[in-house]
Amino acid sequence: MVKVGRNDPCPCGTGKKYKRCCGKIAAESRPRPSFLSPRVPVKTAEDIEGMRAAGKLAARVLHEACARVKVGTTTSEIDDWVLEMTLDADAYPAPLNYPHAHTDPRKPIIAPKAFPRSVCTSLNDVVCHGIPDDTVLKDGDLINVDVTCNLNGYHGDTSRSLLIGEVEDSTRRLAEITQECMDRAIARVRPGGMFWEIGDAIQELAEGEGYSVVEQFTGHGIGKGFHEPPAVLHYRDRSMRFPMQAGHIFTIEPMINAGTADVVIDDSDHWTARTVDGKLSAQFEHTILVTDEGHEVLTARPE
Ligand code: MF3
Ligand code: CO
Ligand code: CO
């Protein structure tokens, strides 16, 4: 298990105690309890139809983009493909020009800017919100591609980690366990199930395998809004003791780190979130509907 003691030196290398450095930031950037209140929107039948279509499209775009990725691909090419496929389906890529959302209390935002591309591409130590650029993918890389489509006003949000070429066993294992974390959490989704169970399932497996769970980014309710209540925590937290109901739609998108859980947001682009210790991070994401029988994965991979 990778846990830094409150009084240990911070892994980011400042020489300060963890509790006065990244530990403080981690605590301060947890979602506000008000956002965790059980006021979770229940979708109408019409909304659910719209969300099925958006989810299906996002799943197809992710699948087709990932099928083209190989050694030598640039993250910008992935962005081109996602933009083109999304527009071809008469949808809009929700990340493009999405207003700046995240803050790092240590670094006041000087020039907050909207997300500039159509997809997030998060490579190796990038935890999430990587911005596509001319970076060339190489043998051994681990990349997460995160697609969100807005189709007729409804959002489908899904992502996966991809192994590039020949990867180290430890890289493959991190990706496999992260996918299994998501799958075990999805298996707990049912009416009357507790939101608490999601983080419980993820933390149990991740820490049992020697990994850590990122706390500073969460899953989220989703619908006409890209990010709606509730925040879906991927770790155990008492504030999540409220029940799932048929008609809830939310994402489960664990970010699992090979080293410590702490992340730091890039100073210059205000988006890219990296592990403080430079170790690998993996992520998988699905959009899930709670049904009377259990759940439906709205972004299930196309056959
Ligand atoms: N798709 C991300 C999520 O799962 C959000 C990306 S916000 C963006 O919630 F602006 F970076 F695209
Ligand atoms: Co999401
Ligand atoms: Co996403």
Side-chain angles (χ1 to χ4, degrees), residues 146-148 157-159 226 253 285:
D146 190 343
V147 169
T148 312
D157 189 6
T158 182
S159 82
F226 189 169
E253 48 180 303
E285 173 176 27

mmCIF file with all atom_site columns, all heavy atoms in Angstrom, residues 146-148 157-159 226 253 285, ligand 3:
data_model
loop_
_atom_site.group_PDB
_atom_site.id
_atom_site.type_symbol
_atom_site.label_atom_id
_atom_site.label_alt_id
_atom_site.label_comp_id
_atom_site.label_asym_id
_atom_site.label_entity_id
_atom_site.label_seq_id
_atom_site.pdbx_PDB_ins_code
_atom_site.Cartn_x
_atom_site.Cartn_y
_atom_site.Cartn_z
_atom_site.occupancy
_atom_site.B_iso_or_equiv
_atom_site.pdbx_formal_charge
_atom_site.auth_seq_id
_atom_site.auth_comp_id
_atom_site.auth_asym_id
_atom_site.auth_atom_id
_atom_site.pdbx_PDB_model_num
ATOM   1  N  N   . ASP A 1 146 ? -10.173 10.018 -23.372 1.00 0.00 ? 146 ASP A N   1
ATOM   2  C  CA  . ASP A 1 146 ? -11.452 10.298 -22.694 1.00 0.00 ? 146 ASP A CA  1
ATOM   3  C  C   . ASP A 1 146 ? -12.356 11.102 -23.633 1.00 0.00 ? 146 ASP A C   1
ATOM   4  O  O   . ASP A 1 146 ? -12.071 12.251 -23.956 1.00 0.00 ? 146 ASP A O   1
ATOM   5  C  CB  . ASP A 1 146 ? -11.180 11.056 -21.397 1.00 0.00 ? 146 ASP A CB  1
ATOM   6  C  CG  . ASP A 1 146 ? -12.424 11.184 -20.519 1.00 0.00 ? 146 ASP A CG  1
ATOM   7  O  OD1 . ASP A 1 146 ? -13.549 10.992 -21.009 1.00 0.00 ? 146 ASP A OD1 1
ATOM   8  O  OD2 . ASP A 1 146 ? -12.242 11.503 -19.331 1.00 0.00 ? 146 ASP A OD2 1
ATOM   9  N  N   . VAL A 1 147 ? -13.438 10.458 -24.083 1.00 0.00 ? 147 VAL A N   1
ATOM   10 C  CA  . VAL A 1 147 ? -14.343 11.029 -25.084 1.00 0.00 ? 147 VAL A CA  1
ATOM   11 C  C   . VAL A 1 147 ? -15.669 11.411 -24.429 1.00 0.00 ? 147 VAL A C   1
ATOM   12 O  O   . VAL A 1 147 ? -16.259 10.596 -23.708 1.00 0.00 ? 147 VAL A O   1
ATOM   13 C  CB  . VAL A 1 147 ? -14.618 9.985  -26.205 1.00 0.00 ? 147 VAL A CB  1
ATOM   14 C  CG1 . VAL A 1 147 ? -15.748 10.446 -27.118 1.00 0.00 ? 147 VAL A CG1 1
ATOM   15 C  CG2 . VAL A 1 147 ? -13.351 9.718  -27.008 1.00 0.00 ? 147 VAL A CG2 1
ATOM   16 N  N   . THR A 1 148 ? -16.144 12.623 -24.671 1.00 0.00 ? 148 THR A N   1
ATOM   17 C  CA  . THR A 1 148 ? -17.488 13.005 -24.239 1.00 0.00 ? 148 THR A CA  1
ATOM   18 C  C   . THR A 1 148 ? -18.214 13.645 -25.412 1.00 0.00 ? 148 THR A C   1
ATOM   19 O  O   . THR A 1 148 ? -17.755 14.645 -25.965 1.00 0.00 ? 148 THR A O   1
ATOM   20 C  CB  . THR A 1 148 ? -17.449 13.991 -23.053 1.00 0.00 ? 148 THR A CB  1
ATOM   21 O  OG1 . THR A 1 148 ? -16.552 13.492 -22.072 1.00 0.00 ? 148 THR A OG1 1
ATOM   22 C  CG2 . THR A 1 148 ? -18.841 14.173 -22.457 1.00 0.00 ? 148 THR A CG2 1
ATOM   23 N  N   . ASP A 1 157 ? -20.128 9.945  -21.716 1.00 0.00 ? 157 ASP A N   1
ATOM   24 C  CA  . ASP A 1 157 ? -18.755 10.196 -21.255 1.00 0.00 ? 157 ASP A CA  1
ATOM   25 C  C   . ASP A 1 157 ? -18.092 8.844  -20.986 1.00 0.00 ? 157 ASP A C   1
ATOM   26 O  O   . ASP A 1 157 ? -18.573 8.065  -20.153 1.00 0.00 ? 157 ASP A O   1
ATOM   27 C  CB  . ASP A 1 157 ? -18.855 11.046 -19.974 1.00 0.00 ? 157 ASP A CB  1
ATOM   28 C  CG  . ASP A 1 157 ? -17.526 11.587 -19.470 1.00 0.00 ? 157 ASP A CG  1
ATOM   29 O  OD1 . ASP A 1 157 ? -16.506 11.417 -20.176 1.00 0.00 ? 157 ASP A OD1 1
ATOM   30 O  OD2 . ASP A 1 157 ? -17.527 12.188 -18.384 1.00 0.00 ? 157 ASP A OD2 1
ATOM   31 N  N   . THR A 1 158 ? -16.994 8.567  -21.673 1.00 0.00 ? 158 THR A N   1
ATOM   32 C  CA  . THR A 1 158 ? -16.322 7.261  -21.494 1.00 0.00 ? 158 THR A CA  1
ATOM   33 C  C   . THR A 1 158 ? -14.839 7.373  -21.830 1.00 0.00 ? 158 THR A C   1
ATOM   34 O  O   . THR A 1 158 ? -14.452 8.137  -22.708 1.00 0.00 ? 158 THR A O   1
ATOM   35 C  CB  . THR A 1 158 ? -17.007 6.160  -22.349 1.00 0.00 ? 158 THR A CB  1
ATOM   36 O  OG1 . THR A 1 158 ? -16.374 4.901  -22.111 1.00 0.00 ? 158 THR A OG1 1
ATOM   37 C  CG2 . THR A 1 158 ? -16.967 6.471  -23.843 1.00 0.00 ? 158 THR A CG2 1
ATOM   38 N  N   . SER A 1 159 ? -14.038 6.619  -21.110 1.00 0.00 ? 159 SER A N   1
ATOM   39 C  CA  . SER A 1 159 ? -12.601 6.650  -21.386 1.00 0.00 ? 159 SER A CA  1
ATOM   40 C  C   . SER A 1 159 ? -11.985 5.293  -21.115 1.00 0.00 ? 159 SER A C   1
ATOM   41 O  O   . SER A 1 159 ? -12.576 4.446  -20.430 1.00 0.00 ? 159 SER A O   1
ATOM   42 C  CB  . SER A 1 159 ? -11.906 7.705  -20.519 1.00 0.00 ? 159 SER A CB  1
ATOM   43 O  OG  . SER A 1 159 ? -11.629 7.213  -19.229 1.00 0.00 ? 159 SER A OG  1
ATOM   44 N  N   . PHE A 1 226 ? -22.771 18.324 -18.522 1.00 0.00 ? 226 PHE A N   1
ATOM   45 C  CA  . PHE A 1 226 ? -21.595 17.457 -18.610 1.00 0.00 ? 226 PHE A CA  1
ATOM   46 C  C   . PHE A 1 226 ? -21.283 16.947 -17.192 1.00 0.00 ? 226 PHE A C   1
ATOM   47 O  O   . PHE A 1 226 ? -21.063 15.751 -16.994 1.00 0.00 ? 226 PHE A O   1
ATOM   48 C  CB  . PHE A 1 226 ? -20.446 18.294 -19.185 1.00 0.00 ? 226 PHE A CB  1
ATOM   49 C  CG  . PHE A 1 226 ? -19.174 17.569 -19.561 1.00 0.00 ? 226 PHE A CG  1
ATOM   50 C  CD1 . PHE A 1 226 ? -18.195 18.247 -20.302 1.00 0.00 ? 226 PHE A CD1 1
ATOM   51 C  CD2 . PHE A 1 226 ? -18.927 16.254 -19.211 1.00 0.00 ? 226 PHE A CD2 1
ATOM   52 C  CE1 . PHE A 1 226 ? -17.009 17.625 -20.671 1.00 0.00 ? 226 PHE A CE1 1
ATOM   53 C  CE2 . PHE A 1 226 ? -17.742 15.621 -19.570 1.00 0.00 ? 226 PHE A CE2 1
ATOM   54 C  CZ  . PHE A 1 226 ? -16.785 16.318 -20.291 1.00 0.00 ? 226 PHE A CZ  1
ATOM   55 N  N   . GLU A 1 253 ? -15.309 6.535  -12.832 1.00 0.00 ? 253 GLU A N   1
ATOM   56 C  CA  . GLU A 1 253 ? -14.095 6.758  -13.623 1.00 0.00 ? 253 GLU A CA  1
ATOM   57 C  C   . GLU A 1 253 ? -12.843 6.799  -12.757 1.00 0.00 ? 253 GLU A C   1
ATOM   58 O  O   . GLU A 1 253 ? -12.156 7.822  -12.678 1.00 0.00 ? 253 GLU A O   1
ATOM   59 C  CB  . GLU A 1 253 ? -14.235 8.050  -14.435 1.00 0.00 ? 253 GLU A CB  1
ATOM   60 C  CG  . GLU A 1 253 ? -14.725 9.276  -13.663 1.00 0.00 ? 253 GLU A CG  1
ATOM   61 C  CD  . GLU A 1 253 ? -14.818 10.500 -14.570 1.00 0.00 ? 253 GLU A CD  1
ATOM   62 O  OE1 . GLU A 1 253 ? -13.801 10.865 -15.180 1.00 0.00 ? 253 GLU A OE1 1
ATOM   63 O  OE2 . GLU A 1 253 ? -15.902 11.096 -14.659 1.00 0.00 ? 253 GLU A OE2 1
ATOM   64 N  N   . GLU A 1 285 ? -13.492 4.717  -17.692 1.00 0.00 ? 285 GLU A N   1
ATOM   65 C  CA  . GLU A 1 285 ? -14.732 5.432  -17.357 1.00 0.00 ? 285 GLU A CA  1
ATOM   66 C  C   . GLU A 1 285 ? -15.910 4.915  -18.168 1.00 0.00 ? 285 GLU A C   1
ATOM   67 O  O   . GLU A 1 285 ? -15.793 4.702  -19.380 1.00 0.00 ? 285 GLU A O   1
ATOM   68 C  CB  . GLU A 1 285 ? -14.567 6.929  -17.660 1.00 0.00 ? 285 GLU A CB  1
ATOM   69 C  CG  . GLU A 1 285 ? -15.867 7.729  -17.502 1.00 0.00 ? 285 GLU A CG  1
ATOM   70 C  CD  . GLU A 1 285 ? -15.718 9.228  -17.691 1.00 0.00 ? 285 GLU A CD  1
ATOM   71 O  OE1 . GLU A 1 285 ? -14.782 9.652  -18.432 1.00 0.00 ? 285 GLU A OE1 1
ATOM   72 O  OE2 . GLU A 1 285 ? -16.512 9.978  -17.124 1.00 0.00 ? 285 GLU A OE2 1
HETATM 73 CO CO  . CO  B 2 .   ? -14.609 11.546 -19.250 1.00 0.00 ? 3   CO  B CO  1
#
